[in-house]
Amino acid sequence: MLKSTIINTSSQTQPSQSSSQEIVIYWFRNDLRIDDNPALVKACQAAEKIIFVYCHGSVINVFDSRQRCRLPQSYGHRQQFIAAALTEVRMQLEASGNTMLELHGSAAACLPQLASEINAKTVYCEEIAAPYEQDEVNALRSTGLHVHTVWHSSLLDPADLPFTADALPQVFTQFRQLIEAEGVRPRSPTPKPARIPALPDNFNAVAARWMQLETKHPKSGTLAAPVASMPTRLSDDPRSSFPYYLPAFSGSASAARNHLQNYLAKKLPHTYKLTRNHLSGHDYSTKFAPWLASGALSARQIYQELKEFEAHHGANEGSYWIWFELLWRDYFRFLHRQYGRKLYAASGLNQASTPTHHEDRFEQWCLAKTEEPLVNAGMRELYSTGYLSNRLRQIVASYLIYDLECDWRAGAAWFEASLIDYDVYSNQGNWLYIAGRGTDPRNGRRFNIQKQMHDHDRDGSYQRLWNTF
């Protein structure tokens, strides 16, 4: 259902709408925050009147499942998490006399019609260097809309890198060492807009018409009929390592900032490297990823607070490792800027043959019906909660690719459908890394399941926790 607030524009002192006014649409994508949002600042500076929009209507990004697989029915963990972020953004905008429209459908389907109704010719949004996201922007431009995209999801600004996009080092270690040797550091977070422009004069009428439309989430034309699903679980599973149903883990930007402050107050950065491979719990890892993925929290905000923490409490290998992981996140982003659509080919960046795929094995993996208890436990946690530790993500991915001999793109698609913290760059980059089809020279990362159980679940506590419904 379309969400917005009807604003009483008649009580505002406004000039009458005319063709000389710049009416702008700001399209929220993976940047659900007001603070440190350069694209939003630019939109507000350019606009006399503005409408803020979020479009519900994505497709599976990474896999042509018509030919290769079917995806089991997935619960909407990420949708519930994002809903909290959208609610808070709307409230912040309403405090400034504006609001947000939530539309069901792709931006390419919704925004041209909306632009026509409000007499807008300009759209501002985040730049996302992934194929489907770029296709959607190109589709908007093909209708005659002027779409201004602004890159702002990375920790480091591309303009500050000591190399051009096409000269990105092909190994992460070389990238990190060059960044550190050159002393490249993040820019400060961008202040919130000095002003939020008013709504177009006809906003109420336009919003009312959209609310009357019987819009639906688009069915993904790339998916065959879903296979059988697991027994239903409520989202408030007390075993979850990221219980997004609790206020402290909700999707809002304020919850993200509070979590960051609490994480630092507990001095957990100092132990991060020691605990980051644990399998369950609230504090073993930073848990920043879900808010980073939705954009409720920016990498630059994290870095700024982390440096203040180190200034007061000292730096060590643990706090350094958070910077290290943020650089990994950046690397996958810059890899997309260099290679784009090539990262989504079956062979990835090398000349390997098209991967094999076994639909029945893939279904068993999705539904936690493999022969490996640790893999099953991880897949149950993912399905039930939308979250999984980084260590287990690597384990289950390796098992799908090397033990079950399935297409890595099918696994990437299932993660996209399931994860609260799905991020197109990191998801694709990590699956390429495990499959040996990216830039890493080791030609893949195959994990020995028995060794992983010995190293990370020796007493079987994680398996006992998740191998029941």
Side-chain angles (χ1 to χ4, degrees):
M1 180 178 179
L2 184 147
K3 297 179 182 178
S4 70
T5 298
I6 302 298
I7 302 294
N8 183 8
T9 56
S10 62
S11 65
Q12 302 176 18
T13 302
Q14 302 173 346
S16 60
Q17 185 171 312
S18 70
S19 59
S20 64
Q21 290 181 328
E22 179 67 10
I23 300 174
V24 168
I25 294 173
Y26 187 79
W27 171 27
F28 280 103
R29 303 181 86 185
N30 298 327
D31 56 344
L32 301 181
R33 63 183 183 274
I34 304 299
D35 295 308
D36 194 26
N37 192 324
L40 188 147
V41 170
K42 289 180 180 296
C44 290
Q45 290 171 341
E48 292 292 333
K49 303 290 181 73
I50 192 167
I51 283 185
F52 297 93
V53 176
Y54 182 85
C55 297
H56 298 271
S58 60
V59 295
I60 297 299
N61 208 332
V62 295
F63 196 67
D64 183 1
S65 55
R66 286 176 296 182
Q67 300 177 13
R68 306 290 293 171
C69 77
R70 296 179 297 162
L71 292 181
Q73 198 76 45
S74 173
Y75 295 123
H77 296 295
R78 186 162 72 252
Q79 289 75 13
Q80 293 183 50
F81 182 74
I82 287 175
L86 292 170
T87 296
E88 183 166 282
V89 170
R90 186 186 309 107
M91 291 175 63
Q92 290 177 300
L93 293 173
E94 288 172 1
S96 300
N98 208 296
T99 190
M100 177 197 290
L101 289 177
E102 292 182 46
L103 308 178
H104 286 286
S106 69
C110 295
L111 295 191
Q113 180 181 345
L114 177 64
S116 176
E117 293 177 358
I118 64 171
N119 195 29
K121 294 179 172 55
T122 304
V123 176
Y124 279 81
C125 65
E126 174 192 7
E127 170 75 18
I128 302 177
Y132 283 94
E133 287 79 358
Q134 292 199 324
D135 287 348
E136 198 157 34
V137 168
N138 290 335
L140 292 179
R141 287 174 173 155
S142 71
T143 68
L145 287 172
H146 304 294
V147 183
H148 299 277
T149 61
V150 180
W151 179 269
H152 62 198
S153 72
S154 57
L155 176 65
L156 302 175
D157 193 292
D160 298 335
L161 300 178
F163 44 77
T164 59
D166 59 355
L168 177 73
Q170 294 301 285
V171 178
F172 169 72
T173 299
Q174 296 173 359
F175 164 78
R176 176 183 58 81
Q177 290 173 344
L178 183 56
I179 291 298
E180 293 177 341
E182 295 291 331
V184 182
R185 287 294 180 266
R187 299 183 183 185
S188 298
T190 302
K192 66 178 61 176
R195 70 178 184 96
I196 300 293
L199 289 157
D201 295 348
N202 65 341
F203 168 78
N204 284 346
V206 169
R209 283 197 297 274
W210 279 88
M211 288 179 179
Q212 292 172 358
L213 295 176
E214 293 184 358
T215 55
K216 300 178 181 179
H217 288 283
K219 295 180 180 179
S220 175
T222 64
L223 300 185
V227 301
S229 62
M230 289 184 179
T232 300
R233 291 292 304 185
L234 297 176
S235 62
D236 55 343
D237 193 314
R239 299 172 293 179
S240 176
S241 291
F242 194 91
Y244 64 86
Y245 55 89
L246 297 178
F249 291 88
S250 84
S252 67
S254 59
R257 291 192 298 270
N258 289 338
H259 175 81
L260 173 59
Q261 292 297 327
N262 290 335
Y263 184 82
L264 299 175
K266 294 178 182 177
K267 299 183 180 178
L268 292 174
H270 285 159
T271 58
Y272 170 69
K273 191 179 181 185
L274 297 174
T275 63
R276 66 193 176 92
N277 281 320
H278 290 184
L279 303 187
S280 64
H282 295 172
D283 291 338
Y284 70 85
S285 66
T286 66
K287 301 298 191 301
F288 299 152
W291 291 293
L292 281 170
S294 69
L297 184 67
S298 76
R300 296 192 299 189
Q301 289 172 319
I302 293 172
Y303 179 81
Q304 183 181 66
E305 295 293 333
L306 178 64
K307 297 312 289 184
E308 290 185 12
F309 168 86
E310 290 180 330
H312 286 90
H313 303 290
N316 71 352
E317 191 174 25
S319 60
Y320 168 81
W321 217 254
I322 296 175
W323 153 262
F324 180 95
E325 296 291 0
L326 289 173
L327 282 185
W328 255 120
R329 180 177 178 271
D330 265 17
Y331 185 69
F332 288 142
R333 279 160 162 70
F334 299 143
L335 202 64
H336 273 72
R337 288 171 65 91
Q338 183 179 34
Y339 288 109
R341 201 173 296 272
K342 292 180 180 179
L343 298 172
Y344 294 77
S347 60
L349 296 180
N350 58 38
Q351 300 302 313
S353 60
T354 298
T356 59
H357 190 65
H358 303 276
E359 190 173 294
D360 56 339
R361 298 179 190 176
F362 174 65
E363 179 179 332
Q364 291 167 3
W365 178 81
C366 291
L367 301 181
K369 295 180 179 179
T370 76
E371 295 180 356
E372 290 293 344
L374 181 60
V375 171
N376 291 344
M379 297 307 291
R380 284 195 176 96
E381 180 184 8
L382 174 61
Y383 192 91
S384 299
T385 72
Y387 193 81
L388 195 62
S389 69
N390 182 64
R391 172 59 51 172
L392 275 165
R393 295 183 198 202
Q394 296 178 75
I395 292 170
V396 301
S398 168
Y399 186 77
L400 179 72
I401 295 167
Y402 299 108
D403 294 86
L404 298 182
E405 299 180 333
C406 287
D407 195 317
W408 63 275
R409 295 172 299 161
W414 182 236
F415 272 27
E416 178 177 352
S418 303
L419 284 169
I420 292 172
D421 61 355
Y422 167 74
D423 172 279
V424 63
Y425 304 110
S426 296
N427 191 60
Q428 195 72 1
N430 278 309
W431 277 93
L432 285 163
Y433 178 79
I434 297 294
R437 295 170 185 263
T439 60
D440 187 73
R442 287 180 52 178
N443 296 319
R445 305 290 171 123
R446 182 170 188 168
F447 286 75
N448 181 299
I449 300 296
Q450 300 306 313
K451 183 179 186 303
Q452 295 299 314
M453 285 194 292
H454 179 271
D455 291 349
H456 303 291
D457 193 35
R458 190 174 304 181
D459 63 358
S461 58
Y462 178 80
Q463 295 170 70
R464 288 194 299 274
L465 181 67
W466 283 105
N467 273 333
T468 58
F469 274 107

